[in-house]
Amino acid sequence: MTITDFVDTMNAWGQQKVPFLFVIDFEMEKPFIARLADLPGSEIWFDVNGYTNTYNTARASTPIEPLRVTPHDRQEYIRKFAHVFERLGYGDSFLTNLTVKTHVTSSNSLQTLFHASRARYKLLFRNEFLVFSPEIFVQIRDGKIYSYPMKGTIDAAVPNAAQRILDDEKERAEHTTIVDLIRNDLSQVATRVTVNRFRYLDEIRTSHKNLLQVSSEIIGELPDDYRSRLGSILVTLLPAGSVSGAPKVKTLEIIRQAEGEKRGYYTGIFGYFNGQQLDSGVMIRFLENQDGTYYYRSGGGITTQSQVDAEYQETIDKVYVPLT
């Protein structure tokens, strides 16, 4: 299916109030959409804020072992970071999201990890990848569109963690850039776009540590015929600003050069429409199965204030399965 066919289908089903699930890759080359009634439950499992097509009552009795991590090559990361940092210095970008693949092993299957993990957005797609993402892309309800960009993470065990991350000038600048980008993106499809909450904290619990994540809330008003334009609205907003950067077009060029490969479904979006409301998440916290070898995809925003050692460590710290 082409992205044009995808948009046309979503627009039509939205107008007809047909419930559906959708998945869009970062490059928008392999979009997927299916009526919820036709969804192949043996191949695709999802859980969006508790709305799911699969249940498992034995969750608590399943023993889960932490992922065994083989950190990605530090010198290779330094090379990619240097390219991004150079382009930032030229003024080609203010913020670039740089991502990497980390080899991991697990004694648990993706199916077991799906049921054991806790996240706002979970998706197991044809045994190809598993997402357990905390990040909302957009929610559409009652004629309004909501976005909650996440940018800024700190170990909750660090002394005075909440105040440290909120006072960090680099983190504030990075978050402000993303909020401004998302606000501008929403203004392409909505009116009266406002930042309702700025830089509030969510706690994320993982198998080995708790994290504090900084988010904001942005709201806009959609036109009366928005259901017949759902596909057009979503694609206009892609790729998500929090996992690309600003300005978006030039930053995407930098990402392609630095990362040297397509991201595929990683940092794309997925979600569902129930006939009335739409909910979607950004596909971060991403475990990929490549011919039986597992890779965990992670990344972070790079600015002119970034330090390579700290950014490298952040990509490792984000390799986890949220279990509690």
Side-chain angles (χ1 to χ4, degrees), residues 186-252:
L186 291 189
S187 295
Q188 298 180 70
V189 300
T191 58
R192 299 182 182 177
V193 177
T194 59
V195 180
N196 195 46
R197 288 188 292 167
F198 182 66
R199 298 191 80 217
Y200 63 88
L201 293 172
D202 286 323
E203 184 173 11
I204 300 171
R205 298 187 177 186
T206 81
S207 57
H208 61 284
K209 67 172 67 175
N210 294 342
L211 303 173
L212 295 181
Q213 184 89 54
V214 185
S215 300
S216 289
E217 179 185 55
I218 308 170
I219 305 174
E221 296 184 10
L222 292 170
D224 292 340
D225 64 344
Y226 71 89
R227 287 194 185 91
S228 65
R229 299 164 57 184
L230 289 179
S232 302
I233 289 170
L234 285 183
V235 169
T236 297
L237 300 176
L238 291 174
S242 63
V243 289
S244 53
K248 192 178 285 186
V249 174
K250 199 67 174 179
T251 300
L252 289 174

Side-chain angles (χ1 to χ4, degrees), residues 246-263:
K248 192 178 285 186
V249 174
K250 199 67 174 179
T251 300
L252 289 174
E253 175 188 307
I254 297 170
I255 287 171
R256 285 190 293 268
Q257 292 170 347
E259 296 184 1
E261 62 179 341
K262 293 181 178 180
R263 291 185 181 179

Side-chain angles (χ1 to χ4, degrees), residues 46-96:
F46 72 90
D47 186 328
V48 176
N49 277 316
Y51 182 82
T52 181
N53 68 335
T54 183
Y55 298 90
N56 189 306
T57 58
R59 176 186 180 276
S61 63
T62 304
I64 302 297
E65 296 183 4
L67 298 175
R68 294 182 291 278
V69 178
T70 304
H72 46 278
D73 184 80
R74 186 174 180 277
Q75 292 305 313
E76 179 67 10
Y77 182 82
I78 291 174
R79 184 192 65 77
K80 294 177 179 180
F81 179 94
H83 177 80
V84 170
F85 204 76
E86 181 180 36
R87 297 294 294 271
L88 289 167
Y90 290 151
D92 294 333
S93 176
F94 307 113
L95 170 66
T96 299

Side-chain angles (χ1 to χ4, degrees), residues 18-317:
V18 175
F20 57 80
L21 179 83
F22 61 93
V23 187
I24 312 176
D25 58 302
F26 184 75
E27 289 82 16
M28 291 186 282
E29 295 175 345
K30 300 179 291 184
F32 169 88
I33 187 169
R35 294 181 180 89
L36 290 183
D38 300 333
L39 197 65
S42 60
E43 297 181 1
I44 299 173
W45 298 351
F46 72 90
D47 186 328
V48 176
N49 277 316
Y51 182 82
T52 181
N53 68 335
T54 183
Y55 298 90
N56 189 306
T57 58
R59 176 186 180 276
S61 63
T62 304
I64 302 297
E65 296 183 4
L67 298 175
R68 294 182 291 278
V69 178
T70 304
H72 46 278
D73 184 80
R74 186 174 180 277
Q75 292 305 313
E76 179 67 10
Y77 182 82
I78 291 174
R79 184 192 65 77
K80 294 177 179 180
F81 179 94
H83 177 80
V84 170
F85 204 76
E86 181 180 36
R87 297 294 294 271
L88 289 167
Y90 290 151
D92 294 333
S93 176
F94 307 113
L95 170 66
T96 299
N97 187 264
L98 178 63
T99 73
V100 295
K101 290 196 305 187
T102 299
H103 178 235
V104 298
T105 56
S106 175
S107 59
N108 299 114
S109 67
L110 295 185
Q111 290 82 358
T112 297
L113 292 174
F114 175 92
H115 285 301
S117 60
R118 290 187 183 274
R120 182 180 280 123
Y121 299 96
K122 296 198 299 182
L123 175 67
L124 176 59
F125 192 80
R126 295 172 175 163
N127 205 40
E128 294 177 15
F129 63 84
L130 171 61
V131 174
F132 15 72
S133 174
E135 182 170 355
I136 300 167
F137 177 54
V138 295
Q139 296 175 336
I140 296 176
R141 55 184 183 271
D142 302 325
K144 294 184 178 181
I145 186 167
Y146 300 78
S147 185
Y148 301 83
M150 278 186 166
K151 189 60 66 176
T153 305
I154 191 171
D155 186 339
V158 171
N160 202 24
Q163 201 61 45
R164 286 182 66 169
I165 194 166
L166 290 176
D167 289 345
D168 187 297
E169 291 186 7
K170 182 261 183 184
E171 295 290 353
R172 170 178 282 273
E174 186 177 331
H175 192 96
T176 301
T177 298
I178 288 302
V179 167
D180 191 50
L181 173 62
I182 301 300
R183 182 177 57 186
N184 289 336
D185 280 352
L186 291 189
S187 295
Q188 298 180 70
V189 300
T191 58
R192 299 182 182 177
V193 177
T194 59
V195 180
N196 195 46
R197 288 188 292 167
F198 182 66
R199 298 191 80 217
Y200 63 88
L201 293 172
D202 286 323
E203 184 173 11
I204 300 171
R205 298 187 177 186
T206 81
S207 57
H208 61 284
K209 67 172 67 175
N210 294 342
L211 303 173
L212 295 181
Q213 184 89 54
V214 185
S215 300
S216 289
E217 179 185 55
I218 308 170
I219 305 174
E221 296 184 10
L222 292 170
D224 292 340
D225 64 344
Y226 71 89
R227 287 194 185 91
S228 65
R229 299 164 57 184
L230 289 179
S232 302
I233 289 170
L234 285 183
V235 169
T236 297
L237 300 176
L238 291 174
S242 63
V243 289
S244 53
K248 192 178 285 186
V249 174
K250 199 67 174 179
T251 300
L252 289 174
E253 175 188 307
I254 297 170
I255 287 171
R256 285 190 293 268
Q257 292 170 347
E259 296 184 1
E261 62 179 341
K262 293 181 178 180
R263 291 185 181 179
Y265 287 107
Y266 172 55
T267 64
I269 66 165
F270 89 96
Y272 83 101
F273 176 66
N274 66 3
Q276 296 292 331
Q277 301 175 349
L278 182 143
D279 196 349
S280 62
V282 182
M283 291 194 287
I284 58 174
R285 311 300 187 265
F286 189 98
L287 184 56
E288 189 173 52
N289 179 9
Q290 293 187 356
D291 300 321
T293 301
Y294 287 177
Y295 294 95
Y296 200 107
R297 311 285 291 258
S298 61
I302 310 300
T303 72
T304 54
Q305 296 175 295
S306 295
Q307 301 295 319
V308 65
D309 289 339
E311 298 296 342
Y312 174 76
Q313 186 60 46
E314 181 178 336
T315 64
I316 297 173
D317 290 343

